[in-house]
């Protein structure tokens, strides 16, 4: 951007590539997640922060969606609300048809347990459990019978067969995130949420994890929502939703890396 | 630096409070003990001083020695009063008879909680006349005046009927007045009764005799000078003292009793509490230092010296110690006030002229609190100084392992051996009782430390083993708890060790008490062949005509009165002499002979004796030897030892025939009467007949032998309950230790808990995880405590096997203690579990 100083800035063409719809697409026939008018405010008075200012979003079953946007645009906040970890100040969220914003604590816990899978940027695994135990942890918590065949398939998918007895501390960052993916898939959640799952990985191991998510979607039909600010990561998704200032700025289909950069850049410039 | 320390403590309020409480409670117990005993001491000093205020000289019969079974002496001839009156410089003389007994109102014995019921003959010559608040002093036989507290408690008025029970039997009397003594309405629960001189002499078997003569000097005559003149005029068996001396002697006797028994006993419980507190402080500081490792590294990187880091932690300990001791001191005052209240509502007044807070109490409380806190913080503080500055840049919270860690097993072994040697030295070595007790206690503390050090190496496997069933019951919470309790074995070990200490002492006491109970029952079953035991409560004497009353009950085949007096049997060694009927005893008693046999009984005569083995051992005599005994009044006899037997619980002393007993002692002093029913008669009906025969003497309880055994066991149990109560504090302190450790663990695991909650763990499951970890810790503590307590008890019972305490494990009680530990674990987990369940998931999983 430093060379911008030397050139005259020409008027830009339409910032969004052709694959992007104006605003967002709602009213999908088979939406696992339906968000309507979601708002989230923090603090009050002078310290009021409007993290989300009215988000409408439908997420199709079996789709792999990336949520992008500049830092502070509300990506994490949105994900937390969609996943039942946080409540919106206004608006509604449905998961699998069930309105979740007014659920009691207990029901929310059950929702997270049965319908949702999580992958965080770091610290996804319990240090005292080995890889296999971490993978089956959600099932153990739910008191569900462990489906050996399914778990075996997962372990195969994440290619960790020889590391199952290892504790997280004995695994590399990439291996840990792969275990986290398997863990998130174990309970066959309706939606898998991943918040910057490759944020702490180098590009090669990051690629392993991204490939794994892609395969989960393709082979297992897993619905995935991934928050990221990494264009390369977003490039794996079927759809990319761009947030800016707490609202959906663009809703695009598959984009390649250059297209993503372009949109990101446009968003930063407008701000 | 103090200000920094203060701020640091304030920013971790909960931890500070929990840690402070750990030391505060022990300090409170110690300062409370001093406040309470000082108060009792001063209360009685005031009473005795008041009682002798108008008395310049007192005359009593010289006692050779003092002892618990020493009854009233034979006293002085009544006409000695005239002899004293004739001495130059005497203005007024007051001679009176006194004795101990019991008061029965409306058919019920008035209970005094162990305090005596004292009778005094009243005379208008009394030098410190009591203050009559109602009625008048006794004038006619059968009239008594009572102390105000008794009148109030029992609703007695002048004119109320009352029964007086003395060794001479039951006597009907009428209340004629109510008085206060030395401006007190009661005297530490004791009951005071005024009678006429003739009644007192009759009731206490003192015809023509009196107990004490009090003298007032003429104006200008010195008390000491007068005492010397009176001493010169009286026979050598009298003891002449100034009033001030007599008051001081009585006060000293009581102070000694407090100083050599009550205070050390209470202080040792306080000491245990402080010791437990020290463990918790050590653990708390170790945990904080580990947590603040990067902070210390940063300080070091910024150029702080090691000593500055050291001082930053010790300053915190100092502030905490000062806080805890100050609060503990005030809590001690509160404890003393509460104890007063409890005793008062139980009808047993502790003399009180306000709480006594001596400078000595303040100094001890502060020194104990501050020194213990700082000493406990030194080792963790030293570890903090070894954090390298580069650690500021590293991840992870591991402290550099203490240099001693590698030596842990060796260190534990050394401390254990030291402890064992101290215990052996204390138990088998020489020296005064106090030194030996202190040595043994130091040994026990060393053993606790050794076990605590060693436990870090077996806590892991033990937790795994204990957690296994929990994991079966609850696959997630059980599993995580099991893992968590093994994550930091040193921490779990110390937390459990704090609980171990309190429980070990509880178990030790329980096993000893069980041994005492079973050896009592064992010895009783082996020797007693009777059906009934008639005895007083609290080892009070019963009227000496009891035997005669029961003899005439139809259905009774044999009755034997067991009378006892204390004698000096070797320089400074006292022994109990039991008087029995050598012929009848064989029908109700089966001696467990070691040497000699029943034939010895027939030969007892006036100069023969059979001796219990322990007494024989302590006097160094055998069958065929001679024991020279001296009574409290100075009468001597050489007794020939005709046999030795084993009976650690009842006839534990020198047993002589009635003829020998009567030759030595002027009064019988009956402690127990044993009786047997004729074969074939209804045992229950005969017991009721005996009860009827004893109806007028409610101080004597008629019990079947089984009931008697039960009541003795009950007595041991009551004592046990009291000791448990005193030990409860240590257990409570260790509970705070568990809370502290868990709160910290929960804090450290905030992210883990957040993750677990995010992936669907319920709050109940989170709570259960913390609770299980707590219970695993507390059970580990209980198991260690039970093992250590049982071993201690085994050592002690082995050492004192000769004194009849067997080693017997109360299985059900130990199981109950284990259950108690589970309860402690569950209670300790409440607060930390709640905190864990309330962790904000979003805040916990935030990474920035
Ligand atoms: N707990 C909170 N309290 C106050 N403001 C918050 C809180 N969490 C997020 N915010 C604010 O909300 C906005 C959106 O945050 P976030 O969703 O974390 O953005 P992103 O994940 O896109 O970087 C930011 O301005 C942030 O400062
Ligand atoms: Mg974010």
């Amino acid at each position: 951007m430093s060379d911008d100083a030397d050139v005259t800035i020409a008027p830009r063409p339409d910032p969004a590539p052709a694959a992007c719809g104006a605003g967002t697409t709602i009213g999908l026939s088979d939406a696992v997640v339906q968000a309507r008018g979601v708002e989230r405010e923090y603090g009050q008075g002078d310290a009021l922060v409007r993290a989300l200012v009215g988000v409408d979003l439908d997420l199709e079953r079996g789709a792999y969606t990336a949520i992008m946007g500049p830092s502070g645009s509300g990506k994490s906040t949105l994900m937390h609300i969609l996943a039942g970890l946080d409540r919106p100040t206004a608006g509604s969220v449905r998961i699998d048809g069930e309105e979740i914003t007014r659920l009691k604590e207990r029901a929310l816990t059950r929702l997270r347990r049965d319908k949702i899978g999580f992958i965080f940027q770091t610290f996804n695994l319990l240090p005292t459990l080995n890889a296999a135990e971490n993978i089956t942890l959600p099932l153990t918590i739910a008191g569900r019978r462990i489906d050996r065949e399914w778990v075996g398939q997962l372990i195969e998918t994440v290619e960790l067969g020889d590391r199952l007895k290892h504790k997280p501390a004995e695994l590399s960052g990439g291996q840990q995130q792969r275990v986290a993916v398997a863990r998130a898939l174990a309970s066959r959640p309706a939606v898998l949420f991943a918040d910057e799952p490759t944020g702490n990985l180098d590009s090669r191991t990051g690629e392993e994890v991204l490939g794994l998510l892609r395969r989960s979607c393709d082979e297992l039909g897993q619905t995935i929502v991934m928050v990221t600010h990494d264009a390369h990561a977003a490039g794996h998704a079927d759809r990319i939703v761009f947030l800016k200032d707490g609202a959906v700025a663009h809703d695009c289909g598959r984009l390649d890396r250059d297209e993503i950069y372009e949109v990101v850049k446009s968003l930063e410039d407008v701000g | 630096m103090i200000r920094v320390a203060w701020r640091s403590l304030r920013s971790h309020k909960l931890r500070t409070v929990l840690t402070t409480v750990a030391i505060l409670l022990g300090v409170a117990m110690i300062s409370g003990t001093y406040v309470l005993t000082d108060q009792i001491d001063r209360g009685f000093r005031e009473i005795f001083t008041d009682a002798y205020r108008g008395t310049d000289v007192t005359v009593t019969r010289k006692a050779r020695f003092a002892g618990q079974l020493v009854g009233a002496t034979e006293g002085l001839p009544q006409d000695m009063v005239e002899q004293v009156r004739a001495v130059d410089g005497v203005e007024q003389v007051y001679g009176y008879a006194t004795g101990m007994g019991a008061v029965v109102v409306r058919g019920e014995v008035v209970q005094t909680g162990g305090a005596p019921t004292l009778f005094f003959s009243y005379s208008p010559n009394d030098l410190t006349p009591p203050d009559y608040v109602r009625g008048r002093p006794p004038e006619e036989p059968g009239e008594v005046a009572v102390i105000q507290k008794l009148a109030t408690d029992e609703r007695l008025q002048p004119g109320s009927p009352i029964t007086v029970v003395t060794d001479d039997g039951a006597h009907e009397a009428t209340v004629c007045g109510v008085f206060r003594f030395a401006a007190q309405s009661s005297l530490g629960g004791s009951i005071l009764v005024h009678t006429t001189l003739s009644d007192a002499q009759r009731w206490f078997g003192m015809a023509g005799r009196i107990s004490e003569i009090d003298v007032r000097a003429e104006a200008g005559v010195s008390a000491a000078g007068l005492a010397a003149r009176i001493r010169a005029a009286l026979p050598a068996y009298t003891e002449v003292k100034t009033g001030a001396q007599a008051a001081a002697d009585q006060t000293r006797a009581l102070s000694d009793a407090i100083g050599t028994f009550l205070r050390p006993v209470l202080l040792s419980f306080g000491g245990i509490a402080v010791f437990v507190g020290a463990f918790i402080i050590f653990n708390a500081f170790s945990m904080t230092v580990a947590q603040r490792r990067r902070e210390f590294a940063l300080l070091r990187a910024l150029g702080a010296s090691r000593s500055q880091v050291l001082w930053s932690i010790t300053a915190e300990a100092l502030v905490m110690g000062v806080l805890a001791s100050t609060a503990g001191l005030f809590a001690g005052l509160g404890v003393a006030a509460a104890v007063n209240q409890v005793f008062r509502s139980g009808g047993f007044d502790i003399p009180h002229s306000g709480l006594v807070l001596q400078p000595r109490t303040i100094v001890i409380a502060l020194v104990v609190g501050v020194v213990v806190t700082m000493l406990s913080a030194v080792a963790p503080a030293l570890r903090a100084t070894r954090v390298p500055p580069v650690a500021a840049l590293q991840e992870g919270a591991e402290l550099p392992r203490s240099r001693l860690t590698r030596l842990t097993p060796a260190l534990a072994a050394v401390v254990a051996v030291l402890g064992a040697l101290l215990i052996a030295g204390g138990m088998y070595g020489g020296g005064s009782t106090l030194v030996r007790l202190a040595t043994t206690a130091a040994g026990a503390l060393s053993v606790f430390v050794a076990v605590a050090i060693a436990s870090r190496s077996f806590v892991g496997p033990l937790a795994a083993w204990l957690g296994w069933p929990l994991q079966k019951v609850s696959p997630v919470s059980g599993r995580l708890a099991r893992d968590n309790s093994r994550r930091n074995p040193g921490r779990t070990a110390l937390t459990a060790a704090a609980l171990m200490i309190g429980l070990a002492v509880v178990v030790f006491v329980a096993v000893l008490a069980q041994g005492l109970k079973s050896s009592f029952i064992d010895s009783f079953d082996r020797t007693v062949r009777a059906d009934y035991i008639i005895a007083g409560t609290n080892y009070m004497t019963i009227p000496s005509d009891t035997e005669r009353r029961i003899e005439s009950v139809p259905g009774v085949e044999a009755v034997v009165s067991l009378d006892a007096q204390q004698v000096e049997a070797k320089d400074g060694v006292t022994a109990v002499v039991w008087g029995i009927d050598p012929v009848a005893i064989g029908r109700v008693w089966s001696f467990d002979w070691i040497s000699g046999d029943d034939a010895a009984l027939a030969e007892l005569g006036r100069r023969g004796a059979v001796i219990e083995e322990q007494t024989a051992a302590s006097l160094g005599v055998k069958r065929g030897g001679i024991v020279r005994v001296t009574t409290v009044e100075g009468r001597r006899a050489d007794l020939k030892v005709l046999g030795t037997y084993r009976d650690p619980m009842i006839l534990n002393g020198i047993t002589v025939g009635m003829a020998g007993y009567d030759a030595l002692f002027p009064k019988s002093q009956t402690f127990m009467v044993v009786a047997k029913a004729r074969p074939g008669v209804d045992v229950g009906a005969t017991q009721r007949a005996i009860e009827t025969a004893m109806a007028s003497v409610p101080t004597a309880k008629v019990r079947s032998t089984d009931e008697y055994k039960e009541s003795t066991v009950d007595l041991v149990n009551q004592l046990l309950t009291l000791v448990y109560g005193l030990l409860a504090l240590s257990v409570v302190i260790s509970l705070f230790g568990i809370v502290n450790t868990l709160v910290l663990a929960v804090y450290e695991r905030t992210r883990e808990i957040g993750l677990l909650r995010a992936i669907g763990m319920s709050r109940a499951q989170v709570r259960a995880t913390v609770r299980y970890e707590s219970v695993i810790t507390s059970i580990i503590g209980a198991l260690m405590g039970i093992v250590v307590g049982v071993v201690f008890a085994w050592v002690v019972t082995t050492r004192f096997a000769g004194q009849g305490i067997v080693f017997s494990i109360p299985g059900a009680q130990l199981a109950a203690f284990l259950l108690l530990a589970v309860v402690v674990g569950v209670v300790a987990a409440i607060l930390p579990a709640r905190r864990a369940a309330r962790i904000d998931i979003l805040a916990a999983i935030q990474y920035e």
Side-chain angles (χ1 to χ4, degrees):
Chain A
M1 245 172 247
S2 54
D3 37 1
D4 279 4
D6 304 312
V7 294
T8 332
I9 299 165
R12 281 179 187 280
D14 181 7
C20 301
T24 61
T25 323
I26 55 171
L28 292 174
S29 57
D30 189 15
V32 194
V33 179
Q34 294 175 301
R36 292 293 176 275
V38 170
E39 294 177 19
R40 180 67 166 96
E41 294 174 354
Y42 292 107
Q44 38 185 267
D46 285 347
L48 183 84
V49 177
R50 306 186 69 198
L52 296 175
V53 294
V55 173
D56 297 312
L57 193 63
D58 277 3
L59 296 174
E60 198 181 355
R61 195 177 296 279
Y64 183 172
T65 309
I67 299 178
M68 290 199 74
S71 177
S73 58
K75 305 183 293 291
S76 295
T77 305
L78 178 62
M79 188 201 101
H80 292 152
I81 288 174
L82 297 183
L85 284 173
D86 193 7
R87 288 176 208 275
T89 330
S92 79
V93 175
R94 281 170 185 279
I95 303 246
D96 244 1
E98 186 185 10
E99 162 67 49
I100 67 163
T101 54
R102 268 176 293 281
L103 284 183
K104 294 257 165 52
E105 156 64 32
R106 249 173 236 263
L108 265 183
T109 301
R110 204 171 312 123
L111 173 93
R112 289 198 303 268
R113 196 183 77 186
D114 299 338
K115 295 267 172 74
I116 289 170
F118 283 107
I119 304 166
F120 301 109
Q121 183 174 353
T122 53
F123 205 82
N124 271 300
L125 308 177
L126 277 208
T128 56
L129 303 183
N130 65 29
E133 291 164 335
N134 263 297
I135 291 172
T136 52
L137 185 59
L139 304 175
T140 327
I141 288 176
R144 270 199 255 162
R145 201 181 52 80
I146 291 169
D147 180 344
R148 297 269 158 223
E149 201 179 318
W150 170 241
V151 173
Q153 193 183 334
L154 283 177
I155 289 167
E156 217 167 281
T157 317
V158 299
E159 292 167 350
L160 277 165
D162 54 338
R163 294 293 159 97
L164 287 179
K165 293 281 175 245
H166 288 53
K167 292 275 170 71
E170 299 155 355
L171 298 173
S172 71
Q175 287 168 334
Q176 287 185 29
Q177 285 307 70
R178 270 149 57 198
V179 174
V181 174
R183 203 261 339 271
L185 292 170
S187 58
R188 303 182 207 251
V191 200
L192 191 163
F193 289 97
D195 194 356
E196 311 267 12
T198 58
N200 254 24
L201 303 178
D202 59 46
S203 57
R204 197 178 56 80
T205 45
E207 188 54 42
E208 286 172 18
V209 172
L210 291 169
L212 190 55
L213 288 175
R214 185 65 253 176
R215 264 188 294 144
S216 316
C217 179
D218 295 341
E219 293 167 19
L220 309 170
Q222 179 64 53
T223 312
I224 298 174
V225 179
M226 174 176 69
V227 166
T228 183
H229 64 261
D230 174 11
H232 176 72
H236 286 72
D238 300 325
R239 176 183 171 197
I240 307 178
V241 176
F242 289 90
L243 290 188
K244 180 163 173 60
D245 297 335
V248 176
H250 298 290
D251 189 346
C252 315
R254 245 178 193 287
L255 298 180
D256 65 27
R257 218 195 302 184
D258 293 337
E259 292 169 319
I260 298 171
Y261 275 136
E262 222 173 290
V263 181
V264 168
K265 201 150 182 278
S266 74
L267 289 175
E268 280 170 2
D269 288 352
V270 175
Chain B
M1 200 47 109
I2 295 285
R3 194 133 46 85
V4 175
W6 175 243
R7 216 173 298 140
S8 159
L9 290 174
R10 276 181 50 133
S11 61
H12 306 283
K13 276 201 200 68
L14 181 67
R15 187 191 307 164
T16 306
V17 167
L18 287 170
T19 319
T20 307
V21 164
I23 201 76
L24 181 157
L25 291 176
V27 171
M29 180 127 184
I30 288 179
S31 60
T33 298
Y34 279 109
V35 171
L36 202 64
T37 51
D38 285 345
Q39 172 205 335
I40 298 175
D41 207 277
R42 187 164 95 180
F44 277 107
R45 187 185 310 274
E46 283 176 4
I47 288 169
F48 290 130
T49 311
D50 274 0
Y52 283 99
R53 180 143 291 147
T55 305
D56 292 311
V57 177
T58 69
V59 182
T60 52
R61 183 152 187 135
K62 199 176 274 169
R64 299 274 308 183
F65 52 87
Q68 281 176 324
L69 289 186
V70 172
T73 60
E74 197 173 341
L76 311 166
Q78 195 172 337
D79 54 19
M80 194 177 277
V81 171
E82 299 314 318
Q83 241 175 307
V84 172
R85 202 191 304 281
V87 175
D88 210 24
V90 170
E91 185 188 286
Q92 193 176 336
V93 183
Y94 165 47
Y96 62 94
T98 175
M100 290 207 278
V103 166
V104 178
V105 177
R106 287 179 278 274
E108 298 283 335
V109 181
V110 178
Q111 300 298 335
T112 57
T117 302
L118 298 166
F119 295 81
F120 293 89
S121 67
Y122 177 83
S123 147
N125 291 341
D126 195 340
L127 304 182
T128 26
D131 172 16
Y132 270 80
V133 292
R134 241 172 305 149
R136 53 164 178 78
E139 288 164 5
E140 302 294 320
E143 282 185 347
V144 295
V146 298
I147 196 161
Q148 191 172 27
K149 169 117 173 48
L150 175 65
T152 316
D153 289 353
E154 298 294 329
R155 285 171 286 116
L156 294 176
Q157 311 273 356
S160 306
I162 186 173
T163 308
V164 172
V165 182
T166 67
D167 281 356
D168 193 50
H171 315 278
E172 301 306 325
T174 309
V175 175
C176 61
V178 176
F179 61 88
R180 286 150 66 98
F181 180 78
Q184 305 266 342
S185 64
S186 95
L187 248 179
S190 342
I191 293 175
L192 298 193
V193 179
H194 271 155
T195 70
T196 62
L197 180 60
S198 62
D199 274 348
Q201 287 174 331
R202 200 155 49 81
W203 295 346
F204 298 105
M206 300 187 69
R209 311 184 75 82
I210 50 177
S211 313
E212 180 167 335
I213 300 171
D214 290 351
V215 181
R216 177 156 55 221
E218 280 171 357
V221 173
S222 92
L226 182 60
R229 278 198 298 283
I230 294 175
R231 199 173 295 125
L234 296 181
Y237 65 78
T238 57
E239 177 125 63
V240 182
K241 290 180 192 172
T242 63
Q245 185 63 47
D249 285 352
Q250 297 215 24
T251 309
R252 179 145 26 79
L254 202 97
S255 296
D256 283 354
I258 293 169
T260 58
F261 182 73
L262 185 60
R263 187 177 289 153
V265 165
L266 291 178
L267 282 182
S268 52
F269 286 105
I272 296 171
V274 169
F275 188 61
V276 173
F279 264 75
I280 285 163
I281 296 200
F282 174 76
N283 203 14
F285 273 94
S286 302
M287 293 188 293
T288 7
V289 163
Q291 225 181 24
R292 291 165 61 188
R293 178 179 161 275
R294 293 183 87 172
E295 186 187 321
F296 296 130
L298 193 64
L299 279 175
R300 296 274 282 121
L302 297 177
S305 69
R306 284 191 168 189
S307 61
Q308 278 170 315
V309 170
L310 181 70
W311 174 228
S312 81
I313 299 164
T314 30
E316 244 176 71
L318 176 68
V319 172
M320 198 178 263
V322 171
L323 272 181
S325 344
T326 315
L329 188 62
F330 284 105
L333 283 173
V335 167
V339 169
N340 273 318
Q341 203 52 51
V342 167
F343 275 98
R344 202 166 309 147
S345 58
F348 183 89
D349 262 13
I350 302 178
H352 44 87
S353 31
L355 295 175
V356 182
L357 185 59
Q358 289 198 8
R360 177 261 275 123
T361 311
I362 300 174
V363 170
I364 289 179
L366 285 175
V367 166
V368 166
V370 173
V371 169
V372 169
T373 310
M374 292 193 68
L375 279 182
S376 314
V378 161
L382 284 174
R383 288 183 79 187
T385 64
R386 284 203 301 275
V387 174
V390 65
L393 311 169
Q394 294 167 341
E395 267 297 331
E398 274 301 299
L399 264 187
R401 285 169 78 86
S402 150
R403 270 179 232 155
L404 292 176
T405 312
R406 227 165 358 99
L407 300 173
T408 298
L411 185 68
V414 168
V415 178
V417 167
L418 177 76
L421 286 177
L422 283 171
I423 291 177
M427 304 264 276
Y428 294 94
S432 73
T433 314
L434 196 67
V435 168
R436 293 173 54 185
L437 268 177
T439 313
T440 312
L445 296 193
S446 308
V447 170
F448 284 136
V449 172
V451 174
I453 298 173
S455 63
R456 68 161 32 237
S457 52
F458 61 74
V459 150
L462 198 54
W465 185 68
L466 287 172
W468 187 82
L470 289 175
Q471 190 176 340
K472 287 290 144 202
V473 173
S474 161
V476 194
S477 302
R479 169 63 198 273
L480 295 178
R482 187 184 179 197
D483 289 346
N484 286 341
S485 59
R486 291 151 69 196
R487 275 166 101 159
N488 207 324
R491 199 191 274 183
T492 308
L494 270 175
T495 310
L499 179 62
M500 160 189 79
I501 298 165
L503 272 179
V505 183
V506 167
V507 168
F508 170 72
V509 173
V511 176
L512 280 196
Q514 179 69 16
L516 202 64
K517 284 187 269 189
S518 32
S519 34
F520 165 74
I521 291 174
D522 196 50
S523 146
F524 193 92
D525 287 344
R526 211 153 354 108
T527 49
V528 179
R529 293 283 168 270
D531 297 308
Y532 316 105
I533 306 272
I534 297 91
T537 47
N538 292 327
Y539 297 105
M540 298 283 282
T541 57
I542 54 175
S544 30
D545 64 355
T546 307
E547 183 179 9
R548 200 175 34 72
R549 279 171 189 262
I550 296 170
E551 259 167 4
S552 52
V553 174
V556 171
E557 183 187 67
V559 189
V560 176
S561 179
L562 304 181
D563 299 355
Q565 294 267 9
Q566 210 153 8
V567 294
E568 199 175 50
K570 208 165 110 179
D571 273 341
V573 180
T574 63
V576 177
V577 169
W578 289 91
I580 52 153
D581 176 338
V583 180
I585 191 83
R587 317 246 286 274
V588 293
W589 210 265
S590 151
F591 278 90
D592 185 5
W593 294 111
I594 291 172
S595 63
D597 53 32
D598 282 348
L601 296 174
E603 295 164 28
L604 284 175
R606 271 171 63 93
R607 285 287 177 259
V610 289
I611 304 191
E612 211 280 328
E613 56 163 347
Q614 288 170 61
T615 310
S618 72
L619 298 178
V621 293
K622 289 201 182 68
R623 180 166 178 235
I626 299 284
V627 191
R628 167 166 294 189
V629 298
T630 311
T631 70
V632 70
E633 276 139 346
R635 234 174 258 115
R636 274 208 178 87
D638 287 337
L639 303 174
K640 184 161 198 299
V641 181
L642 302 172
T644 55
Y645 59 90
R646 196 179 291 115
D647 185 357
M649 295 298 163
I650 303 178
L651 295 180
N652 52 350
I654 303 169
T655 302
V656 299
M658 229 54 244
Y661 189 89
D662 289 343
L664 274 169
F665 309 108
K667 289 176 205 160
S668 48
Q669 205 163 257
T670 303
F671 281 91
M672 195 187 271
V673 169
V674 287
K676 192 183 169 108
R678 224 178 280 287
V681 303
D682 181 341
V683 177
T686 308
Q687 180 170 352
R688 283 187 290 282
I690 297 176
E691 276 161 7
T692 313
M694 295 301 297
S696 63
V697 193
T699 51
K701 284 261 168 304
V702 179
R703 297 190 186 92
S704 70
T705 39
D706 282 342
E707 286 167 349
Y708 183 78
K709 274 191 276 188
E710 238 167 73
S711 74
T712 305
V713 167
D714 281 351
L715 212 64
V716 176
N717 288 342
Q718 275 173 29
L719 205 69
L720 207 55
T721 311
L722 193 72
V723 174
Y724 288 165
L726 290 167
L727 286 169
L729 190 69
S730 301
V731 175
V732 168
I733 293 174
S734 52
L735 188 150
F736 279 105
I738 300 178
V739 177
N740 206 358
T741 303
L742 289 176
V743 164
L744 203 81
V746 164
Y747 173 77
E748 284 174 357
R749 296 177 199 147
T750 302
R751 279 183 132 195
E752 278 172 44
I753 297 167
L755 171 69
L756 283 164
R757 292 277 291 125
I759 65 172
M761 195 174 205
S762 69
R763 285 189 165 157
Q765 283 173 314
V766 170
R767 279 195 298 267
T769 308
V770 177
R771 194 181 318 123
Y772 290 157
E773 182 179 354
S774 183
V775 169
I776 289 175
T777 309
S778 67
I779 292 183
I780 291 176
L783 290 178
M784 296 198 292
I786 287 174
V787 170
V788 173
V790 166
V791 169
F792 279 179
W794 178 78
V795 169
V796 170
T797 45
T798 308
R799 164 69 180 83
F800 295 102
Q803 276 151 56
I805 303 179
V806 296
F807 176 68
S808 164
I809 292 180
Q813 277 203 59
L814 296 193
F817 295 148
L818 214 52
L819 206 68
L820 171 79
V822 173
V823 172
V824 165
V826 170
V827 172
I830 292 174
L831 173 85
R834 192 174 300 167
R835 290 192 136 210
R838 288 214 183 126
I839 279 175
D840 178 7
I841 306 174
L842 282 181
I845 60 176
Q846 231 45 272
Y847 35 84
E848 240 103 38

